[in-house]
Amino acid sequence: MTNTFDDWTRLCRLLDDDPELTPATLDSVEAGESPWDALIEGLDDSGALAYLDKSDTGAELADALPALPRIIRTGIELDEVGDINELDRAITSANELLAAHGLTLLYLADPDDEDAHPLVAVPTADLDEINALIEKLYG
């Protein structure tokens, strides 16, 4: 169980610096509940998650991203993303802009909502480690 706690702790810290995220996620592990659900809820509660629907467009993405703490700190303008009608293309465009700031958007699948498209901005340098932890814990 210790390795599981360590892995969830590391994943939480890589995804967001909210001090409440890790304890809430670990509490769900101890309670035998879904830590993935707790993680998504915690990211949403902290404001670090852009919770979109896969039918949304670039306009909704451009509205949601500037509120994410890591994106706020960059001061980046995402207006051009709002002109794109397809969400996947808008995410690609946003990632091109975010790359200059060392960030990328990471899709976190929500098993409770197939139409959901939750995104979190993470440092590009941490992406491989994040994906490896997600695969280990959830995959």
Side-chain angles (χ1 to χ4, degrees):
M1 187 65 85
T2 301
N3 285 343
T4 300
F5 281 117
D6 292 345
D7 291 339
W8 279 110
T9 298
R10 181 67 179 149
L11 180 60
C12 288
R13 289 184 179 153
L14 289 169
L15 293 177
D16 191 45
D17 55 7
D18 181 356
E20 296 179 25
L21 181 62
T22 300
T25 303
L26 294 179
D27 286 348
S28 69
V29 172
E30 282 186 324
E33 298 168 356
S34 170
W36 189 255
D37 289 345
L39 177 71
I40 289 176
E41 184 177 322
L43 289 167
D44 194 30
D45 289 348
S46 73
L49 193 69
Y51 207 90
L52 301 165
D53 188 80
K54 65 182 174 182
S55 65
D56 285 341
T57 66
E60 285 88 5
L61 181 65
D63 286 344
L65 291 182
L68 303 184
R70 286 184 173 146
I71 294 178
I72 289 171
R73 291 189 285 261
T74 69
I76 192 170
E77 289 291 328
L78 296 164
D79 295 338
E80 67 187 70
V81 173
D83 296 333
I84 302 171
N85 289 329
E86 183 183 288
L87 184 59
D88 288 337
R89 283 192 21 224
I91 291 169
T92 299
S93 177
N95 277 334
E96 290 169 359
L97 297 170
L98 292 170
H101 299 276
L103 296 173
T104 191
L105 296 175
L106 177 66
Y107 166 70
L108 300 173
D110 186 344
D112 297 327
D113 186 353
E114 292 179 8
D115 292 328
H117 211 86
L119 300 167
V120 62
V122 298
T124 305
D126 295 337
L127 189 58
D128 288 341
E129 183 179 2
I130 291 168
N131 283 327
L133 285 166
I134 290 171
E135 180 65 29
K136 181 179 181 182
L137 293 166
Y138 187 66

